[in-house]
CSV table of all heavy atoms in Angstrom, one decimal:
chain,number,residue,atom,x,y,z
A,118,PHE,N,0.8,-1.2,0.0
A,118,PHE,CA,0.0,0.0,0.0
A,118,PHE,C,0.9,1.3,0.0
A,118,PHE,O,0.2,2.3,0.1
A,118,PHE,CB,-0.9,0.0,1.2
A,118,PHE,CG,-2.1,-1.0,1.1
A,118,PHE,CD1,-2.0,-2.2,1.6
A,118,PHE,CD2,-3.2,-0.6,0.3
A,118,PHE,CE1,-3.1,-3.1,1.5
A,118,PHE,CE2,-4.3,-1.5,0.1
A,118,PHE,CZ,-4.2,-2.8,0.8
A,119,LEU,N,2.1,1.1,-0.1
A,119,LEU,CA,3.0,2.4,-0.1
A,119,LEU,C,2.7,3.2,-1.3
A,119,LEU,O,2.7,4.4,-1.2
A,119,LEU,CB,4.5,2.0,-0.1
A,119,LEU,CG,5.1,1.9,1.3
A,119,LEU,CD1,6.5,1.3,1.1
A,119,LEU,CD2,5.3,3.3,1.8
A,120,LEU,N,2.5,2.6,-2.5
A,120,LEU,CA,2.2,3.4,-3.7
A,120,LEU,C,0.9,4.1,-3.5
A,120,LEU,O,0.7,5.3,-3.9
A,120,LEU,CB,2.2,2.5,-4.9
A,120,LEU,CG,3.5,1.8,-5.2
A,120,LEU,CD1,3.4,0.9,-6.4
A,120,LEU,CD2,4.6,2.9,-5.6
A,121,LEU,N,-0.1,3.5,-3.0
A,121,LEU,CA,-1.4,4.1,-2.7
A,121,LEU,C,-1.2,5.2,-1.7
A,121,LEU,O,-1.8,6.3,-1.8
A,121,LEU,CB,-2.4,3.1,-2.2
A,121,LEU,CG,-3.9,3.6,-2.1
A,121,LEU,CD1,-4.4,4.2,-3.4
A,121,LEU,CD2,-4.8,2.5,-1.5
A,122,GLY,N,-0.4,5.0,-0.7
A,122,GLY,CA,-0.1,6.0,0.3
A,122,GLY,C,0.5,7.2,-0.3
A,122,GLY,O,0.2,8.4,0.0
A,123,GLY,N,1.5,7.0,-1.2
A,123,GLY,CA,2.1,8.1,-1.9
A,123,GLY,C,1.2,8.9,-2.8
A,123,GLY,O,1.2,10.1,-2.8
A,124,ARG,N,0.3,8.2,-3.5
A,124,ARG,CA,-0.7,8.9,-4.3
A,124,ARG,C,-1.7,9.6,-3.5
A,124,ARG,O,-2.1,10.7,-3.8
A,124,ARG,CB,-1.4,7.8,-5.2
A,124,ARG,CG,-2.4,8.4,-6.2
A,124,ARG,CD,-1.8,9.5,-7.0
A,124,ARG,NE,-0.9,8.9,-7.9
A,124,ARG,CZ,0.1,9.7,-8.6
A,124,ARG,NH1,0.1,10.9,-8.4
A,124,ARG,NH2,1.0,9.1,-9.3
A,125,ALA,N,-2.1,9.0,-2.4
A,125,ALA,CA,-3.1,9.7,-1.4
A,125,ALA,C,-2.5,11.0,-0.9
A,125,ALA,O,-3.1,12.0,-0.8
A,125,ALA,CB,-3.5,8.8,-0.3
A,126,ALA,N,-1.1,10.9,-0.6
A,126,ALA,CA,-0.5,12.1,-0.1
A,126,ALA,C,-0.5,13.3,-1.2
A,126,ALA,O,-0.7,14.4,-0.8
A,126,ALA,CB,1.0,11.8,0.4
A,127,ASP,N,-0.3,12.9,-2.4
A,127,ASP,CA,-0.3,13.9,-3.5
A,127,ASP,C,-1.7,14.4,-3.7
A,127,ASP,O,-1.8,15.6,-4.1
A,127,ASP,CB,0.3,13.3,-4.7
A,127,ASP,CG,1.8,13.0,-4.7
A,127,ASP,OD1,2.4,13.7,-3.9
A,127,ASP,OD2,2.3,12.1,-5.4
A,128,LEU,N,-2.7,13.6,-3.6
A,128,LEU,CA,-4.1,14.0,-3.9
A,128,LEU,C,-4.8,14.7,-2.8
A,128,LEU,O,-5.6,15.7,-3.0
A,128,LEU,CB,-4.8,12.8,-4.4
A,128,LEU,CG,-4.4,12.1,-5.7
A,128,LEU,CD1,-5.2,11.0,-6.1
A,128,LEU,CD2,-4.3,13.1,-6.9
A,129,LEU,N,-4.6,14.2,-1.6
A,129,LEU,CA,-5.4,14.7,-0.5
A,129,LEU,C,-4.7,15.8,0.4
A,129,LEU,O,-5.3,16.4,1.3
A,129,LEU,CB,-5.8,13.5,0.5
A,129,LEU,CG,-6.7,12.5,-0.1
A,129,LEU,CD1,-7.0,11.3,0.8
A,129,LEU,CD2,-8.0,13.1,-0.5
A,130,GLY,N,-3.4,15.9,0.2
A,130,GLY,CA,-2.6,16.8,1.0
A,130,GLY,C,-1.7,16.1,1.9
A,130,GLY,O,-2.1,15.1,2.6
A,131,HIS,N,-0.4,16.5,2.0
A,131,HIS,CA,0.5,15.8,2.7
A,131,HIS,C,0.3,15.7,4.2
A,131,HIS,O,0.4,14.7,4.9
A,131,HIS,CB,2.0,16.3,2.4
A,131,HIS,CG,2.3,16.3,1.0
A,131,HIS,ND1,3.2,17.2,0.4
A,131,HIS,CD2,1.9,15.5,0.0
A,131,HIS,CE1,3.3,16.9,-0.9
A,131,HIS,NE2,2.6,15.9,-1.1
A,132,ARG,N,-0.1,16.9,4.8
A,132,ARG,CA,-0.3,17.0,6.2
A,132,ARG,C,-1.5,16.1,6.6
A,132,ARG,O,-1.4,15.3,7.6
A,132,ARG,CB,-0.6,18.4,6.7
A,132,ARG,CG,-0.7,18.5,8.2
A,132,ARG,CD,-0.9,19.9,8.7
A,132,ARG,NE,-2.3,20.3,8.5
A,132,ARG,CZ,-2.9,21.4,8.9
A,132,ARG,NH1,-2.1,22.3,9.6
A,132,ARG,NH2,-4.1,21.8,8.7
A,133,ARG,N,-2.6,16.1,5.9
A,133,ARG,CA,-3.8,15.4,6.3
A,133,ARG,C,-3.4,13.9,6.2
A,133,ARG,O,-3.8,13.1,7.2
A,133,ARG,CB,-4.9,15.7,5.2
A,133,ARG,CG,-6.2,14.9,5.5
A,133,ARG,CD,-7.2,15.2,4.4
A,133,ARG,NE,-7.5,16.6,4.4
A,133,ARG,CZ,-8.4,17.1,3.5
A,133,ARG,NH1,-8.9,16.4,2.5
A,133,ARG,NH2,-8.6,18.4,3.5
A,134,VAL,N,-2.8,13.4,5.2
A,134,VAL,CA,-2.4,12.0,5.1
A,134,VAL,C,-1.5,11.6,6.2
A,134,VAL,O,-1.6,10.5,6.8
A,134,VAL,CB,-1.9,11.7,3.7
A,134,VAL,CG1,-1.3,10.3,3.7
A,134,VAL,CG2,-3.0,11.8,2.7
A,135,PHE,N,-0.5,12.4,6.5
A,135,PHE,CA,0.5,12.2,7.6
A,135,PHE,C,-0.2,12.0,8.9
A,135,PHE,O,0.1,11.0,9.6
A,135,PHE,CB,1.5,13.3,7.6
A,135,PHE,CG,2.5,13.2,8.7
A,135,PHE,CD1,3.7,12.6,8.5
A,135,PHE,CD2,2.3,13.7,10.0
A,135,PHE,CE1,4.7,12.4,9.4
A,135,PHE,CE2,3.3,13.6,11.0
A,135,PHE,CZ,4.5,13.0,10.7
A,136,VAL,N,-1.2,12.9,9.3
A,136,VAL,CA,-1.8,12.8,10.6
A,136,VAL,C,-2.7,11.5,10.6
A,136,VAL,O,-2.7,10.8,11.7
A,136,VAL,CB,-2.8,14.0,10.8
A,136,VAL,CG1,-3.7,13.9,12.0
A,136,VAL,CG2,-1.8,15.3,11.0
A,137,VAL,N,-3.4,11.2,9.6
A,137,VAL,CA,-4.3,10.0,9.6
A,137,VAL,C,-3.4,8.7,9.7
A,137,VAL,O,-3.7,7.9,10.5
A,137,VAL,CB,-5.1,9.9,8.3
A,137,VAL,CG1,-5.8,8.6,8.1
A,137,VAL,CG2,-6.2,11.0,8.3
A,138,GLY,N,-2.3,8.7,9.0
A,138,GLY,CA,-1.4,7.6,9.1
A,138,GLY,C,-0.8,7.4,10.5
A,138,GLY,O,-0.7,6.2,11.0
A,139,MET,N,-0.4,8.5,11.2
A,139,MET,CA,0.1,8.4,12.5
A,139,MET,C,-0.9,7.9,13.5
A,139,MET,O,-0.6,7.0,14.4
A,139,MET,CB,0.6,9.7,13.0
A,139,MET,CG,1.9,10.2,12.2
A,139,MET,SD,3.4,9.2,12.5
A,139,MET,CE,3.9,10.0,14.1
A,140,LEU,N,-2.1,8.3,13.4
A,140,LEU,CA,-3.2,7.8,14.3
A,140,LEU,C,-3.5,6.4,14.0
A,140,LEU,O,-3.8,5.6,15.0
A,140,LEU,CB,-4.4,8.7,14.1
A,140,LEU,CG,-4.3,10.2,14.5
A,140,LEU,CD1,-5.6,11.0,14.3
A,140,LEU,CD2,-3.9,10.3,16.0
A,141,LEU,N,-3.6,6.0,12.8
A,141,LEU,CA,-3.8,4.6,12.4
A,141,LEU,C,-2.8,3.7,13.0
A,141,LEU,O,-3.0,2.6,13.5
A,141,LEU,CB,-4.0,4.4,10.9
A,141,LEU,CG,-4.3,3.0,10.4
A,141,LEU,CD1,-5.6,2.5,10.9
A,141,LEU,CD2,-4.2,3.0,8.8
A,142,PHE,N,-1.5,4.1,12.8
A,142,PHE,CA,-0.4,3.4,13.3
A,142,PHE,C,-0.4,3.2,14.8
A,142,PHE,O,-0.2,2.1,15.4
A,142,PHE,CB,0.9,4.1,12.9
A,142,PHE,CG,2.2,3.2,13.0
A,142,PHE,CD1,2.6,2.6,11.9
A,142,PHE,CD2,2.8,3.0,14.2
A,142,PHE,CE1,3.8,1.8,11.9
A,142,PHE,CE2,4.0,2.3,14.3
A,142,PHE,CZ,4.4,1.7,13.1
A,143,ALA,N,-0.8,4.3,15.6
A,143,ALA,CA,-0.9,4.2,17.0
A,143,ALA,C,-2.0,3.3,17.5
A,143,ALA,O,-1.8,2.5,18.4
A,143,ALA,CB,-1.1,5.6,17.5
């Protein structure tokens, strides 16, 4: 899912995707 994560970061905004990913990881 890294490629999808990279595409999501480009489409949805880097900060938004970063925050969601950190919360999901936690």
